[in-house]
Amino acid sequence: MATKFPTAQELDRRVFFDARVELDDGYGNTEGGFSERFEVWAAFRSRGGSEAVQAARLEGRNTFGVYVRSSSETRQIATDWRMRDKATGNAFAVKIVDAISDARWVYLEVQTGVAA
């Protein structure tokens, strides 16, 4: 029987979380970038994929439900952050953050193929 929350064995992927920051380009302008905040173990659960037409092209998008243990760091995650898989280097845009429903877990919905 499938459980709602992950088991310890499912926390098998190491991920980085990056917050959006404004960086000075050295010429008096600022540009958006990301700054790595922390690294944690995560459990991925596929939520399926979709396709979107952008500029007359079909683009694939994969959506994942991700569980991380609740901590002072993980409760800071916001929807303008991005998540990176340490093993593959893939970046995911954080779309939904639920740090309230359960005191032990932070649930995220992340998506590939979109801007973070």
Side-chain angles (χ1 to χ4, degrees):
M1 180 175 175
T3 61
K4 179 178 178 185
F5 299 112
T7 63
Q9 292 82 12
E10 288 181 274
L11 295 170
D12 60 354
R13 304 221 358 223
R14 201 75 176 155
V15 295
F16 298 106
F17 284 95
D18 305 329
R20 186 171 293 282
V21 294
E22 293 293 323
L23 303 171
D24 184 4
D25 68 356
Y27 297 102
N29 301 311
T30 59
E31 52 188 33
F34 287 96
S35 173
E36 184 179 311
R37 297 293 189 207
F38 54 88
E39 177 181 352
V40 294
W41 289 101
F44 279 61
R45 294 189 177 163
S46 179
R47 297 289 181 240
S50 66
E51 294 177 336
V53 177
Q54 294 288 332
R57 289 192 206 144
L58 196 58
E59 294 182 350
R61 296 178 179 169
N62 289 320
T63 303
F64 295 94
V66 177
Y67 286 92
V68 295
R69 291 189 190 278
S70 182
S71 70
S72 60
E73 290 178 326
T74 58
R75 286 190 300 273
Q76 295 175 23
I77 300 168
T79 55
D80 64 341
W81 286 32
R82 76 175 178 191
M83 182 182 79
R84 290 180 294 122
D85 188 332
K86 184 176 182 177
T88 65
N90 292 338
F92 302 86
V94 176
K95 295 299 185 184
I96 297 172
V97 179
D98 180 5
I100 299 170
S101 295
D102 190 270
R104 298 170 296 163
W105 300 99
V106 174
Y107 172 77
L108 309 165
E109 194 165 289
V110 299
Q111 197 171 50
T112 62
V114 294

